[in-house]
C-alpha cells in the first residue's frame, strides 16, 4: 500500500490502481519513457519482467476503444515484491520509444513485438527474432490469416558479423568465425551460436533463436483453459509439471477458487520433484559438455529416480498431463509415499557422491571465475531463479511471495557470490537438497481430503448419485464452452526451476483466452549469452552456455 | 601339420582392401550403426535418457555417441521441426553417408503433433525426405525407442532403406 500511496502522491495526474495483487497504470505514448525511467530510478522498480503487446481488434472495430494495440511493461520492485503493469495504447502506425537504454533485456521482447504485431520501436533492429522470413504478416494480430511462401524457398540465413572499423588488419586476419552449432546433439535444445575467436578467446558472438518457435501463444487463443495444460507442460520440457501447475494456478486465481489442502500439498511435492528433475537434467548436460562423464551419469541416474516416481503417479515418465484446473487428476497411488521416501534417500546418497567427485576436481574448477556476473548486471538482464541467486541476490518467490504452503515449510535459499558457472552449479546442487527437504516435510504432514475442488463451476456433475438431464447439460456445457473467466487481465507466477515462470491471461469473458503471454525465464537468460562470453575462452563459453540452462522450448515458445 | 595349397585356397580369400572394407561395413552396420542424433525438443530428452540409462547402450555397445553427419549411417531426429529449422535439417540429411537411414521420434516429427494447427511447426517431414521408422509417442519412452531401433537394425541387415527405394523409383 505504501508504494501505491507514494506513486499517487508523486504523479497526481496519473491513475494508479491495484487489482489482484498487481499495480496498474495507463500511460500516454509520449510520457511513458519518462515515467518508467522515474519508476526505475526513484521508486525502485529496477527489474523489467516482461514486455508484450495485445491486439484489441474487436473492441477497436466496434468503437469501444480508440487505439488498437496495447503494449504492456511488467516491472518488479525487488524489495516490496510489488509488480506494476504499465499499459500504453497505440495505433497501427505509431512508434514507441525503445527501452534498450534503460534495460539491456528489453531488446528481444521489443523485437518480438515488432515481429508479431508490426508495432514499430524507435531505432530497433528490424530483423525477425523468432519466425523466419517465410511467414508473411504479423502472426499474433487477430486478423492474421496464415500466409507463407513455398517450402522450396526456405533458406536459413546464418547471422553475420558486422564490420568493425577499429580492428586492425592483422587482427582481422587472425580472427576466425566458428559455428558452435547448428546442431548440438546434447539435451539442451536448438539454437545457432556463431563466435568470432582470436586464438582461444571469443571476441564476439551472435545467436539465432526461434528454431523451436512453435507458436504456442497463438494456439492458446483457440483452446479452452483446460486444454492449454499440455502446451504449458511442453514449454520447459525438463520440468513439465511446473509449467502445468503455473498455468493452472493462474487460471484458478483468475476464477478465484481455493484449492483443497491436499491438492496444494500434492502440487508442492510435484513442483519440488520437478525442480530436482530439471536441475539434474541441466547439470547432466553441463557435466557432459565439460567432459565429466561419470558425474553426468550420476545426474542421469538421479533423473531416472525422479522419472520413476512420475511414472508411477502420472503414467508417463515425462509429460503426464495430470494437472487439472481445480486440482490434480487423481490422488497418490498406494505405496507412492514409501517409494518417494526411498527415492529421496537414494538421491541424497547420489548427491553426496557427486559433491565428492566434482567440488574439488581441477577440471571442474577450471571454470571458476570466468564469465562471472555481478548482481547489478544480472538484474539488468532480467535473470531470475538459480542464475540470479548465484550472483548473490536473495530472491526466491517461494520465500518472498509465498504461495501454497511454502511459508509453512522450512528451507533455505542457497546463494552464490560470483555468478559464474561454478556458483550456478553449487546453487543448483544445494537447491536439489533443499527441495528434497521440502518434499519430505510435506510428506510428513500431508493433509487428507480430496485433490479436486468441489466448486460447482468446475465440478463435472451436480453431485447427486443419479445423473439427471441437468448434469448432462452441465457436462456438455463445460466441455463445449470451457470454464469462463470474467473479462480482465490476470498475471500469476511460480518459482520454476529456471526462475520466475509467469502467465499473463487476458480474458474477454469467454472460455478461451483472448491473449496469453508466457513470461519464460530462459528467454531472458539466454539473451545475455552473447555479451557474457566476450573475452572468455571457448571452454568457458561452453560452460556458461550449459550453466544458463537455456531450454529452447521456453526461449522460443 | 603343413598346409597344402589346396587347404590354403579354402582358408584364405584374396580380395581388394576396398571391397573388403565395404563388405565389413555392410556386415557390421546393423550390429553397430553409427548414429547422428539430432535432438530438438522434448523428445530428445527421452532419447538422451534412454542412452544414458543404458537401455540402448547395452543393445549396441559399439556405437559411438558423437559422430559427424558424414560418417553416420543413421540419423535420429526427435522433436518439432519448424519452418525455420527445416533448411538446416535438410542440409544435414544431405550430408549423411549413403545409403541413408532416418528414424523420427515423436508425434511432432511425424505429423506436427500438438502444434500442427499452429503456423510454425511442419505437419510431418515425409514430404521433405524419406523416413524409415516413425516412433510414436509424445514423448515415446525408452521401450518404444528400443523397439524402433531394432526395426531399423532389421532394415539395415536386409539393406532396405526408404532412401534407397526413393532413388530406385527416381531412376525408373
Ligand atoms: S512429440 Fe511431444 S514430446 Fe515430442 S517434441 Fe513433440 S510435443 Fe514434445
Amino acid at each position: 500500500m505504501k508504494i501505491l500511496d507514494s506513486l499517487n502522491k508523486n504523479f497526481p495526474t496519473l491513475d494508479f490502481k491495484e487489482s489482484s495483487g498487481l499495480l496498474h497504470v495507463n500511460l500516454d505514448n509520449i510520457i511513458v519513457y519518462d515515467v518508467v525511467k522515474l519508476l526505475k530510478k526513484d521508486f525502485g522498480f529496477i527489474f523489467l519482467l516482461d514486455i508484450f503487446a495485445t491486439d484489441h481488434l474487436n473492441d477497436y472495430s466496434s468503437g469501444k476503444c480508440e487505439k488498437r494495440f496495447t503494449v504492456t511493461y511488467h516491472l518488479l520492485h525487488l524489495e516490496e515484491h510489488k509488480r506494476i503493469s504499465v499499459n500504453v495504447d497505440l495505433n497501427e502506425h505509431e512508434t514507441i520509444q525503445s527501452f534498450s537504454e534503460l534495460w539491456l533485456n528489453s531488446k528481444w521482447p521489443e523485437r518480438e513485438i515488432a515481429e508479431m504485431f508490426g508495432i514499430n520501436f524507435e531505432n530497433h533492429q528490424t530483423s525477425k527474432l523468432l519466425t523466419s522470413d517465410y511467414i508473411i504478416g504479423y502472426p499474433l494480430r487477430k486478423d492474421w490469416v496464415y500466409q507463407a511462401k513455398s517450402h522450396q524457398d526456405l533458406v536459413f540465413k546464418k547471422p553475420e558479423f558486422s564490420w568493425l572499423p577499429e580492428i586492425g588488419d592483422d587482427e582481422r586476419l587472425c580472427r576466425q568465425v566458428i559455428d558452435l552449432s547448428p546442431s548440438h546433439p546434447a539435451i539442451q535444445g536448438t539454437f545457432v551460436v556463431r563466435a568470432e575467436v582470436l586464438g582461444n578467446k571469443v571476441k564476439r558472438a551472435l545467436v539465432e533463436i526461434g528454431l523451436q518457435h512453435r507458436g504456442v501463444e497463438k494456439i492458446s487463443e483457440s483452446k479452452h483453459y483446460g486444454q492449454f495444460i499440455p502446451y504449458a507442460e511442453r514449454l520447459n520440457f525438463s520440468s513439465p509439471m511446473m509449467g502445468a501447475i503455473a498455468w493452472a494456478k493462474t487460471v484458478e486465481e483468475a476464477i478465484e477458487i481455493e484449492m483443497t489442502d491436499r491438492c496444494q500439498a500434492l502440487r508442492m511435492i510435484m513442483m519440488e520433484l520437478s525442480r530436482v528433475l530439471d536441475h539434474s537434467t541441466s547439470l547432466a548436460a553441463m557435466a557432459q559438455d565439460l567432459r565429466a562423464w561419470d558425474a553426468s551419469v550420476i545426474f542421469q541416474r538421479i533423473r531416472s529416480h525422479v522419472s520413476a516416481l512420475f511414472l508411477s503417479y502420472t503414467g508417463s515418465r515425462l509429460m503426464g498431463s495430470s494437472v487439472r484446473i481445480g486440482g490434480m487428476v487423481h490422488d497418490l497411488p498406494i505405496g507412492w509415499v514409501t517409494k518417494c521416501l526411498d527415492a529421496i534417500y537414494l538421491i541424497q546418497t547420489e548427491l553426496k557422491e557427486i559433491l565428492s567427485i566434482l567440488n574439488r576436481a581441477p577440471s571442474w574448477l577450471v571454470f571458476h571465475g570466468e564469465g562471472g556476473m555481478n548482481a547489478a548486471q544480472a538484474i539488468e538482464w532480467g535473470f531470475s531463479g538459480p542464475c540470479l541467486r548465484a550472483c548473490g541476490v536473495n530472491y526466491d518467490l517461494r520465500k518472498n511471495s509465498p504461495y501454497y504452503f511454502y511459508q509453512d515449510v522450512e528451507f533455505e535459499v542457497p546463494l552464490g557470490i560470483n555468478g559464474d558457472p561454478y556458483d550456478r552449479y553449487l546453487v543448483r546442487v544445494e537447491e536439489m537438497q533443499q527441495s528434497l527437504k521440502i518434499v519430505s516435510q510435506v510428506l510428513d504432514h500431508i493433509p487428507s481430503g480430496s485433490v479436486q475442488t468441489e466448486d460447482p463451476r468446475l465440478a463435472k456433475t451436480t453431485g447427486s448419485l443419479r445423473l439427471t438431464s441437468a448434469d448432462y447439460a452441465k457436462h456438455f456445457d463445460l466441455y463445449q464452452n470451457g470454464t469462463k473467466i470474467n473479462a480482465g487481465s490476470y498475471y500469476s507466477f511460480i518459482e520454476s526451476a529456471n526462475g520466475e515462470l509467469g502467465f499473463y491471461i487476458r480474458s474477454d469473458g469467454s472460455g478461451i483466452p483472448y491473449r496469453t503471454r508466457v513470461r519464460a525465464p530462459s528467454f531472458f537468460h539466454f539473451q545475455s549469452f552473447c555479451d557474457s562470453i566476450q573475452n572468455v575462452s571457448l571452454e568457458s563459453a561452453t560452460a556458461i552456455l550449459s550453466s544458463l540452462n537455456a531450454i529452447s522450448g521456453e526461449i522460443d515458445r | 601339420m603343413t598346409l597344402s595349397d589346396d587347404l590354403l585356397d579354402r582358408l584364405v580369400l584374396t580380395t581388394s582392401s576396398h571391397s573388403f572394407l565395404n563388405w565389413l561395413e555392410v556386415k557390421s552396420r546393423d550390429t553397430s550403426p553409427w548414429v547422428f542424433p539430432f535432438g530438438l525438443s522434448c523428445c530428445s530428452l527421452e532419447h538422451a535418457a534412454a542412452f544414458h540409462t543404458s537401455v540402448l547402450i547395452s543393445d549396441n555397445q559399439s556405437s559411438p555417441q558423437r559422430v559427424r553427419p558424414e560418417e553416420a549411417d543413421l540419423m535420429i531426429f526427435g522433436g518439432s521441426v519448424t519452418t525455420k529449422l527445416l533448411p538446416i535439417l535438410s542440409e544435414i540429411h544431405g550430408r549423411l553417408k549413403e545409403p541413408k537411414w532416418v528414424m523420427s521420434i515423436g508425434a511432432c516429427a511425424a505429423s506436427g503433433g500438438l502444434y500442427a494447427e499452429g503456423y510454425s511447426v511442419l505437419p510431418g517431414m515425409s514430404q521433405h525426405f524419406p523416413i524409415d521408422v516413425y516412433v510414436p509417442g509424445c514423448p515415446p519412452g525408452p521401450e518404444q525407442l528400443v523397439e524402433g531401433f531394432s526395426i531399423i537394425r532389421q532394415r539395415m541387415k536386409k539393406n532396405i532403406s526408404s532412401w534407397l527405394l526413393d532413388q530406385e523409383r527416381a531412376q525408373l
Side-chain angles (χ1 to χ4, degrees), chain A residues 212 214 230 234 237 318-319, chain B residues 40-44 46 78-80 105-110 112-115 137-140:
Chain A
Q212 278 298 298
R214 315 200 256 200
R234 281 155 181 80
F237 36 74
L318 209 55
M319 317 275 183
Chain B
L40 300 174
S41 39
C42 347
C43 279
S44 63
E46 278 303 272
S80 33
I105 300 180
C108 280
L114 279 175
Y115 303 94
C138 184

Side-chain angles (χ1 to χ4, degrees), chain A residues 64-191:
Chain A
K64 270 195 220 147
C65 65
E66 286 170 21
K67 308 244 174 155
R68 179 168 169 186
F69 298 105
T70 306
V71 177
T72 309
Y73 300 88
H74 271 182
L75 312 179
L76 169 68
H77 197 300
L78 280 179
E79 280 155 28
E80 303 274 336
H81 317 304
K82 277 276 172 210
R83 283 135 217 279
I84 186 166
S85 139
V86 179
N87 303 313
V88 187
D89 289 341
L90 281 182
N91 253 334
E92 206 162 326
H93 297 296
E94 285 177 67
T95 52
I96 180 167
Q97 200 158 353
S98 163
F99 275 30
S100 50
E101 276 162 28
L102 278 185
W103 279 286
L104 292 168
N105 68 343
S106 72
K107 277 184 208 141
W108 278 9
E110 281 174 359
R111 268 173 78 188
E112 192 187 340
I113 293 174
E115 169 187 8
M116 294 292 173
F117 290 91
I119 295 172
N120 292 323
F121 285 83
E122 274 167 31
N123 55 36
H124 94 110
Q125 260 177 304
T126 47
S127 61
K128 292 192 171 190
L129 180 71
L130 295 178
T131 56
S132 55
D133 294 335
Y134 156 87
I135 284 171
I136 302 165
Y138 306 108
L140 280 182
R141 284 194 180 183
K142 286 280 171 187
D143 54 355
W144 182 74
V145 277
Y146 181 77
Q147 230 187 337
K149 298 176 192 155
S150 90
H151 285 170
Q152 265 72 43
D153 304 341
L154 285 178
V155 275
F156 179 74
K157 284 200 221 85
K158 282 190 176 162
E160 291 296 336
F161 288 99
S162 58
W163 179 264
L164 277 187
E166 65 267 20
I167 307 177
D169 280 344
D170 287 348
E171 194 182 329
R172 185 168 294 123
L173 281 177
C174 295
R175 284 191 178 198
Q176 268 181 330
V177 174
I178 57 167
D179 280 325
L180 299 183
S181 25
S183 105
H184 190 267
I187 43 186
Q188 298 236 326
T190 321
F191 24 76

Side-chain angles (χ1 to χ4, degrees), chain A residues 223-227 247 250-257 325 455-459 473-488 490 505-514:
Chain A
K223 296 276 173 221
H224 295 159
Y225 291 101
Q227 288 175 326
W247 172 257
T250 314
V251 177
E252 284 149 8
E253 281 175 13
I255 35 185
E256 293 174 349
I257 48 174
I325 309 288
D455 194 289
R457 281 169 296 173
L458 291 170
K474 182 154 178 284
H475 184 272
F476 183 76
D477 183 51
L478 264 177
Y479 280 86
Q480 202 65 25
N481 303 325
T483 311
K484 298 194 174 55
I485 297 188
N486 292 341
Y490 308 91
I505 296 175
R506 188 175 176 85
S507 163
D508 55 357
S510 68
I512 290 173
Y514 186 78

Side-chain angles (χ1 to χ4, degrees), chain A residues 218-493:
Chain A
K218 185 76 178 176
I219 293 177
S220 79
E221 291 170 11
S222 60
K223 296 276 173 221
H224 295 159
Y225 291 101
Q227 288 175 326
F228 189 69
I229 286 176
Y231 295 92
E233 283 196 326
R234 281 155 181 80
L235 285 171
N236 181 347
F237 36 74
S238 48
S239 54
M241 204 78 114
M242 291 247 186
I245 292 178
W247 172 257
K249 179 170 172 272
T250 314
V251 177
E252 284 149 8
E253 281 175 13
I255 35 185
E256 293 174 349
I257 48 174
E258 186 70 20
M259 290 298 93
T260 61
D261 285 353
R262 191 171 174 89
C263 166
Q264 295 188 23
L266 216 62
R267 284 190 179 177
M268 274 175 72
I269 296 174
M270 293 304 157
M271 278 196 286
E272 294 311 318
L273 287 179
S274 300
R275 199 183 309 280
V276 176
L277 189 68
D278 190 297
H279 286 348
S280 54
T281 312
S282 81
L283 290 174
M286 185 174 171
Q288 199 178 12
D289 286 348
L290 303 181
R291 305 283 182 273
W293 301 108
D294 38 358
S296 168
V297 170
I298 299 178
F299 280 124
Q300 287 284 355
R301 267 211 308 266
I302 296 181
R303 209 179 156 254
S304 63
H305 292 318
V306 185
S307 291
L309 288 179
F310 281 125
L311 180 66
S312 68
Y313 176 56
T314 70
S316 158
R317 282 165 49 92
L318 209 55
M319 317 275 183
S321 293
S322 58
V323 181
R324 294 288 182 275
I325 309 288
M328 305 294 280
V329 67
H330 47 62
D331 209 336
L332 293 176
I334 293 165
W336 194 88
V337 175
T338 329
K339 251 188 228 167
C340 185
L341 290 173
D342 286 351
I344 290 176
Y345 174 73
L346 278 178
I347 296 171
Q348 272 166 344
T349 331
E350 308 259 21
L351 278 178
K352 268 196 208 107
E353 193 181 341
I354 295 237
L355 291 180
S356 66
I357 294 179
L358 279 190
N359 274 11
R360 302 258 165 270
S363 62
W364 193 256
L365 284 167
V366 163
F367 309 103
H368 194 65
E370 261 200 303
M373 200 175 254
N374 61 33
Q377 278 171 321
I379 289 172
E380 276 286 289
W381 281 114
F383 272 33
S384 50
C387 290
L388 179 67
R389 292 192 283 273
C391 309
V393 182
N394 187 354
Y395 198 77
D396 188 324
L397 294 167
R398 292 174 294 172
K399 286 271 188 211
N400 298 325
S401 330
Y403 44 93
Y404 299 153
F405 294 126
Y406 276 112
Q407 71 270 47
D408 303 330
V409 288
E410 238 177 73
F411 67 101
E412 275 153 33
V413 181
L415 296 178
I417 300 171
N418 304 315
D420 56 4
Y422 183 73
D423 280 18
R424 289 179 194 153
Y425 147 76
L426 285 181
V427 167
R428 285 215 170 90
V429 170
E430 186 55 37
E431 270 188 18
M432 281 159 75
Q433 276 161 346
Q434 296 298 332
S435 290
L436 296 178
K437 205 167 138 191
I438 298 177
V439 174
S440 50
Q441 284 177 56
V442 179
L443 283 178
D444 282 351
H445 299 281
I446 190 157
S448 57
S450 158
V451 290
Q452 273 177 342
T453 62
E454 300 288 313
D455 194 289
R457 281 169 296 173
L458 291 170
K460 306 286 178 300
T461 57
T462 48
S464 61
L465 271 180
R466 255 190 89 194
L467 296 183
T468 60
S469 57
D471 288 325
Y472 288 120
K474 182 154 178 284
H475 184 272
F476 183 76
D477 183 51
L478 264 177
Y479 280 86
Q480 202 65 25
N481 303 325
T483 311
K484 298 194 174 55
I485 297 188
N486 292 341
S489 49
Y490 308 91
Y491 179 78
S492 183
F493 50 82

